Amino acid sequence: METKKLSRVDYIFKPETNCIDTLKKVMTMEKEEFILELIDSGLKGRGGAGFLTGLKWKLAAEAAGDVKYVICNADEGEPGTFKDREILDRVPYKVLCGMALCGYIVGAREGFIYLRAEYRFLVPKLRKAIADLNVEFLKIGLTFSIDIRFGSGAYVCGEETALIESMEGKRGEPRNKPPYPVTEGYLGKPTVVNNVETFVNCVIIAGIGHQEYKKFGTDNSRGFKLFSVSGDCSKEGVYELELGMSLQDFVDEFGDGDTKAVQVGGASGFCVPRKKFPDTIIGFEGIPTGGSMKIFNSSRSMYNVLHNYLEFFEEESCGQCSPCRVGCQQLLKGIVAVKRREKSSPYLDELMKLAETMKVASKCGLGQSVGNAFVSIIENFREEIVY
Amino acid sequence: MSNSEILVKELADKYGRNRESLMPILQDVIEVRRYVTDEVLVSVAKELDLSAAEVFGTASFYSFIDTKEVGKYVIRLCKTIVCDMKGKDAIIGALESTLRIKVGQTTPDKKFTLFTTNCLGWCHKGPAMLINDEVYTELTPGKAIEIIENYMHK
């Protein structure tokens, strides 16, 4: 399997001087040509699910209808992720130009940033950038305007159809898929929903071309990615790294020398114990991540970690489907009962089965991914849960 | 018309009376009043021609749309794992003893409400909290108390 050495790159936070020029350049190209460029770059969505961005844009471009929408998913709620906040704070123009680029390609005239309520402090800066660019877009003959919509403290609204429901003034309960938003999204119209970082990557690819972009990363994980690094860590923060490194390299760089486990991909991701660091690739061939990397050293109780995650999911489950609503409650009650000796340790195997059931039976990504953290923590740290 | 009805009507004029205006209207009420009363929910339902149950169903889904009375300053301390590891319990202790309330309660003068919340996106600078829309990071018990004392004098 192809791997890469850990290396820092600097594309995303590079000063945003020529976004508008990049837009102008794309506007001289055939739309299909740019979509191919994006598909060839291999860019996969940076929010965590990893759908091929070029294909998403292609489907939206091909969808019938005069009215289409572009939505920037800035509902960054995955525990341990804070890179979108950093992007919106430091290079908002790149995000907005990425949205405009998408609008031009798929034929949408309106875009929305769905910003989580926790990030309202960014609003003055964003409003200014939007006002500036709405004028700039007109100047280069691009009919596209952007507005902000807000979340109100619901993690599940990061799921694209829940986000759309929320924008439509409803409870943030995920929809059945298909239809996918690219054909029936906001107000029933074709809609592209992309993560903040994805839009920035699109602008970068438009600027440097897919050949240059493809030099970074591996076959399955092209490009570079922002990582939100926190926990028991020598240098916490947001880092831009090439995809495809081993977790061992990552821990050598960021750990505090006593790393016991890393939670890759947030509460909905996987817990990797020390012995598996060398064989774990960070990327779509190993463990994909929206960027959340939480490092735990040997002083941490993995029971507390798991308990914290399950409390999180129990609160954030929208409650619409039973596997997730009831499953989260039972997993939490279950590990508490084992810890208190009210249940014997083989009960954990029952809970593992429940977690596996939730993976297949839950309606959306939230319920489907609760089992990731649960199973990987129990498998690797069973003794810490029991004793 | 009552004050609530006037407020809601103004907001409906601003955002429109479509269903998709519901969240912006509720969010603006929160900006002004910090929570939504039954009276506000009923007025919104009337303005947008929805059932009150639909409006309540939407409002109650979102943790930042409080449907019970809260104080002028709503404190939301992050309780997710990294802030937890970095000592959020000590911050809760400091806030509770300074404000003389428990998590979930409002001070008798209606000035502060203390909540815990899920990941605020400041893990690298935890523990973190919001007071209304303001973010405070890298808290220590001393720093948290100082911040609250500043708000007490506001």
Side-chain angles (χ1 to χ4, degrees):
Chain A
M1 201 160 34
E2 192 189 0
T3 59
K4 290 275 178 170
K5 283 256 160 274
L6 182 139
S7 69
R8 294 209 188 158
V9 278
D10 180 26
Y11 276 98
I12 294 188
F13 291 126
K14 234 192 222 170
E16 38 192 4
T17 46
N18 49 6
C19 296
I20 289 288
D21 291 338
T22 307
L23 267 181
K24 277 203 267 191
K25 187 179 100 183
V26 174
M27 287 169 72
T28 63
M29 292 165 73
E30 288 294 324
K31 291 180 182 177
E32 291 76 20
E33 197 186 334
F34 184 73
I35 288 174
L36 276 181
E37 178 87 10
L38 207 51
I39 292 176
D40 287 342
S41 74
L43 172 66
K44 291 178 181 173
R46 297 301 196 222
F51 190 77
L52 206 57
T53 305
L55 185 58
K56 190 182 268 188
W57 288 24
K58 182 174 192 280
L59 292 168
E62 286 168 0
D66 290 339
V67 180
K68 298 181 186 179
Y69 297 103
V70 174
I71 297 173
C72 173
N73 185 345
D75 195 44
E76 178 175 54
E78 187 63 54
T81 317
F82 39 86
K83 47 108 186 161
D84 292 339
R85 188 202 70 232
E86 200 89 0
I87 295 175
L88 291 167
D89 197 21
R90 287 168 61 184
V91 286
Y93 288 83
K94 281 192 194 173
V95 180
L96 302 173
C97 283
M99 293 172 69
L101 178 64
C102 179
Y104 170 74
I105 296 293
V106 307
R109 287 180 294 273
E110 239 182 308
F112 298 97
I113 299 177
Y114 186 91
L115 187 72
R116 70 189 303 226
E118 290 84 341
Y119 291 172
R120 269 187 184 263
F121 71 96
L122 289 171
V123 171
K125 184 177 267 179
L126 284 177
R127 287 240 191 264
K128 184 186 177 302
I130 288 171
D132 289 352
L133 282 182
N134 280 344
V135 174
E136 290 293 321
F137 295 156
L138 278 181
K139 272 193 209 158
I140 61 168
L142 185 65
T143 318
F144 190 76
S145 67
I146 298 173
D147 203 352
I148 309 177
R149 291 294 170 80
F150 296 96
S152 274
Y155 166 76
V156 71
C157 289
E159 198 279 342
E160 57 181 3
T161 60
L163 185 157
I164 290 169
E165 287 285 301
S166 172
M167 275 183 59
E168 291 181 357
K170 299 174 198 154
R171 295 166 68 85
E173 294 176 349
R175 296 175 178 172
N176 285 322
K177 294 194 258 192
Y180 293 92
V182 283
T183 51
E184 273 180 56
Y186 181 54
L187 304 178
K189 308 292 183 198
T191 305
V192 173
V193 185
N194 274 144
N195 171 261
V196 176
E197 188 183 349
T198 310
F199 282 120
V200 175
N201 271 273
C202 294
V203 173
I204 292 169
I205 292 166
I208 65 175
H210 78 276
Q211 292 292 1
E212 187 65 22
Y213 187 82
K214 271 172 81 167
K215 288 182 188 163
F216 298 94
T218 61
D219 272 351
N220 261 327
S221 312
R222 287 287 165 214
F224 28 76
K225 167 110 200 57
L226 291 182
F227 288 88
S228 313
V229 186
S230 69
D232 298 310
C233 175
S234 50
K235 39 193 171 187
E236 296 173 282
V238 177
Y239 296 90
E240 188 177 359
L241 305 172
E242 189 174 354
L243 281 168
M245 72 202 135
S246 78
L247 189 52
Q248 185 66 57
D249 281 2
F250 180 87
V251 169
D252 291 345
E253 176 78 14
F254 295 103
D256 64 355
D258 184 26
T259 304
K260 171 165 85 173
V262 179
Q263 180 76 19
V264 182
S268 64
F270 295 84
C271 181
V272 185
R274 186 184 290 150
K275 64 174 189 280
K276 294 182 186 165
F277 290 167
D279 302 324
T280 302
I281 308 295
I282 301 171
F284 293 96
E285 45 275 275
I287 301 184
T289 166
S292 171
M293 304 292 280
K294 282 179 289 183
I295 302 177
F296 303 116
N297 70 19
S298 58
S299 74
R300 304 298 172 189
S301 150
M302 296 313 286
Y303 172 82
N304 285 348
V305 172
L306 182 58
H307 190 274
N308 191 281
Y309 288 161
L310 291 174
E311 263 185 351
F312 172 82
F313 283 125
E314 190 209 17
E315 281 178 24
E316 296 294 347
S317 169
C318 80
Q320 183 186 194
C321 75
S322 328
C324 176
R325 182 186 64 245
V326 182
C328 290
Q329 293 168 358
Q330 292 305 318
L331 291 181
L332 180 58
K333 272 167 74 178
I335 63 160
V336 172
V338 170
K339 195 70 170 177
R340 287 183 183 156
R341 298 271 189 276
E342 291 161 13
K343 294 277 186 191
S344 59
S345 69
Y347 186 64
L348 288 177
D349 300 320
E350 298 285 312
L351 295 176
M352 296 270 267
K353 280 188 219 159
L354 173 59
E356 294 294 345
T357 305
M358 289 169 70
K359 280 191 194 179
V360 291
S362 297
K363 183 168 173 176
C364 81
L366 192 157
Q368 288 161 11
S369 57
V370 174
N372 296 347
F374 189 84
V375 171
S376 58
I377 291 177
I378 303 268
E379 271 178 352
N380 294 302
F381 297 99
R382 194 180 177 100
E383 68 291 348
E384 292 193 28
I385 309 301
V386 178
Y387 302 106
Chain B
M1 277 174 112
S2 72
N3 286 338
S4 295
E5 284 169 330
I6 293 167
L7 172 66
V8 169
K9 188 177 176 304
E10 280 171 3
L11 291 173
D13 288 339
K14 177 176 167 191
Y15 291 108
R17 286 170 169 75
N18 299 321
R19 177 77 191 244
E20 58 270 25
S21 313
L22 178 55
M23 290 293 284
I25 291 173
L26 292 175
Q27 285 160 344
D28 270 21
V29 174
I30 294 285
E31 283 285 299
V32 184
R33 301 237 182 123
R34 310 312 316 166
Y35 66 104
V36 289
T37 56
D38 288 352
E39 194 196 2
V40 164
L41 291 171
V42 170
S43 315
V44 173
K46 272 187 196 155
E47 285 293 339
L48 302 191
D49 196 20
L50 295 167
S51 79
E54 279 278 330
V55 175
F56 181 75
T58 300
S60 60
F61 183 86
Y62 296 94
S63 64
F64 277 41
I65 300 181
D66 287 299
T67 51
K68 298 214 169 70
E69 184 174 18
V70 293
K72 185 175 172 196
Y73 300 113
V74 179
I75 305 164
R76 298 178 201 270
L77 179 73
C78 178
K79 63 173 175 185
T80 306
I81 189 69
V82 181
C83 283
D84 182 71
M85 284 158 52
K86 291 185 181 170
K88 73 113 185 16
D89 284 342
I91 310 298
I92 291 183
L95 293 174
E96 285 185 339
S97 62
T98 308
L99 297 168
R100 300 204 190 104
I101 52 172
K102 295 281 174 202
V103 171
Q105 295 178 338
T106 300
T107 54
D109 62 0
K110 312 280 185 211
K111 203 153 180 190
F112 295 97
T113 299
L114 177 59
F115 287 132
T116 54
T117 190
N118 287 326
C119 191
L120 288 175
W122 290 94
C123 314
H124 59 319
K125 290 186 175 173
M129 68 176 173
L130 284 177
I131 299 181
N132 295 348
D133 293 341
E134 288 298 314
V135 184
Y136 297 91
T137 59
E138 293 172 293
L139 298 172
T140 59
K143 193 172 159 188
I145 291 169
E146 205 177 301
I147 292 164
I148 295 302
E149 281 171 349
N150 280 333
Y151 274 89
M152 282 173 168
H153 299 126
K154 274 191 187 176

